[in-house]
Amino acid sequence: MSALMLATQALVGPGDRVVAVTPLWPNLVEIPKILGAEVTCVELLFGRAGWTLDLDRLLHALPPSTRAVYINSPNNPTGWTLGATDQQAILAHCRRHGIWIVADDAYERLYFEGAGVAAAAPSFLDLAEPDDRIVSTNTFSKTWLMTGWRLGWIVAPPELVPDLGKLIEYNTSCAPVFIQRAGVVAVNEGDVVIAHTADRLRRARDFLQARLQRLPGIEAVAAPGAMYAFFRVEGVVDSLAFCKQLVADAGLGLAPGIAFGPEGEGFLRWCFAASEARLADGVERLQRYLTRRERARAM
Ligand SMILES: Cc1ncc(COP(=O)(O)O)c(C=O)c1O
């Protein structure tokens, strides 16, 4: 979170045009807004193949007057993951026009389509030259299971580093030293944990997907990355009201799709970083709730 705020403070000012690919974890749209930027959203599309990007539409939304484009891949909430070919096209376009790419890579190592366990999702950093206007932010919260430790990092070109140093000084001064030491251990010795976590999440994703598909009126496509199922429920037009009712009546807490942008309306986000027993219990609760709701609507 802090890495994203620092990167945006370094790059974006009042009136700047910023583009974000959505649905998206809301903080990423709100940070540039807090700093006075005008944020334009380019929506992913949902269909049989899951969530996809219309590349032409994105490039069209990036005229030379654009300051930065924010892309979170693998994406919270959809799991959508940007392929290397599209990355190349976006990078070429941004190089041509001097547009900054802010890549939120929080779920980079939670990618289920690559070869082998814990393969990394395609990254702009794989394509980057040292001076490219690419800022990648990352965190120990997800893959390394260090949620709440508040430790992350930024990869940025040399031109940005002096300003980032000043901004860190005026925000937090530094992460606590003992937590930095834990980060060093996590990076050097954490691969076994990452492999185990990615494998566990892949199985949880498949388990939840199979269970959800059995329920009538649910449209769900397995996510290629991250830790969420983002699925549509027939008849849900107000996802916030639905989720509030679901908590109250069924004791099941899901995130309303509308929290991630207007195109998320009608969808629900389920975090599958949980045991199979817990996921199965949740699906049963959802099923019972949907049945009761269907009966009430029929009366
Ligand atoms: C896409 C994305 N980026 C960044 C973060 C921030 O993670 P943290 O501040 O816990 O390191 C999150 C947390 O949910 C996220 O989903």
Side-chain angles (χ1 to χ4, degrees):
M1 184 64 248
S2 180
L4 288 162
M5 189 67 184
L6 291 164
T8 311
Q9 285 175 332
L11 293 177
V12 173
D16 279 344
R17 176 186 169 82
V18 164
V19 173
V21 176
T22 56
L24 183 59
W25 184 58
N27 303 33
L28 267 178
V29 175
E30 297 306 318
I31 296 169
K33 276 197 206 160
I34 286 171
L35 296 169
E38 306 285 335
V39 182
T40 298
C41 295
V42 173
E43 299 105 36
L44 299 170
L45 309 169
F46 182 69
R48 279 168 187 275
W51 291 88
T52 52
L53 172 70
D54 181 338
L55 180 65
D56 288 339
R57 198 155 150 208
L58 175 62
L59 298 184
H60 189 71
L62 298 174
S65 58
T66 309
R67 180 65 175 158
V69 54
Y70 283 64
I71 300 178
N72 166 227
S73 161
N75 166 269
N76 176 6
T78 62
W80 163 77
T81 302
L82 184 61
T85 313
D86 281 0
Q87 274 172 345
Q88 247 147 6
I90 295 167
L91 178 57
H93 180 94
C94 289
R95 273 182 184 148
R96 217 166 20 248
H97 299 304
I99 300 169
W100 285 87
I101 297 173
V102 179
D104 178 344
D105 292 332
Y107 299 97
E108 184 183 18
R109 300 289 298 274
L110 301 180
Y111 181 56
F112 313 120
E113 306 293 299
V117 177
S123 165
F124 280 106
L125 293 181
D126 299 335
L127 310 170
E129 298 295 333
D131 288 331
D132 270 328
R133 294 189 147 192
I134 297 174
V135 177
S136 159
T137 61
N138 218 315
T139 172
F140 287 90
S141 294
K142 318 288 179 192
T143 312
W144 282 270
L145 308 177
M146 290 161 68
T147 318
W149 294 54
R150 314 311 311 140
L151 192 67
W153 70 93
I154 300 175
V155 180
E159 67 169 293
L160 218 58
V161 172
D163 280 351
L164 284 172
K166 282 180 225 151
L167 286 167
I168 291 170
E169 172 67 24
Y170 304 139
N171 274 283
T172 55
S173 297
C174 65
V177 171
F178 63 94
I179 291 180
Q180 291 189 43
R181 292 205 176 122
V184 172
V185 175
V187 166
N188 287 334
E189 299 171 29
D191 276 9
V192 181
V193 176
I194 296 175
H196 178 73
T197 305
D199 187 44
R200 186 166 56 83
L201 286 174
R202 182 199 304 260
R203 280 187 279 114
R205 174 197 70 158
D206 293 344
F207 181 84
L208 181 61
Q209 172 68 18
R211 295 284 167 116
L212 285 177
Q213 267 176 340
R214 284 191 216 153
L215 302 189
I218 286 192
E219 274 177 275
V221 179
M227 48 169 82
Y228 311 100
F230 198 59
F231 58 98
R232 188 153 51 191
V233 181
E234 200 183 326
V236 172
V237 286
D238 181 343
S239 57
L240 179 59
F242 181 92
C243 285
K244 283 183 177 173
Q245 212 57 51
L246 189 63
V247 171
D249 288 7
L252 177 64
L254 303 183
I258 188 69
F260 305 93
E263 58 286 345
E265 187 53 294
F267 286 80
L268 309 175
R269 192 200 70 172
W270 190 320
C271 176
F272 51 72
S275 69
E276 287 189 359
R278 214 167 149 77
L279 294 173
D281 179 44
V283 173
E284 273 172 35
R285 285 166 189 257
L286 178 61
Q287 183 169 19
R288 282 199 298 272
Y289 177 75
L290 290 175
T291 310
R292 279 202 302 275
R293 182 170 161 268
E294 202 47 52
R295 273 200 213 115
R297 284 165 69 184
M299 281 195 330

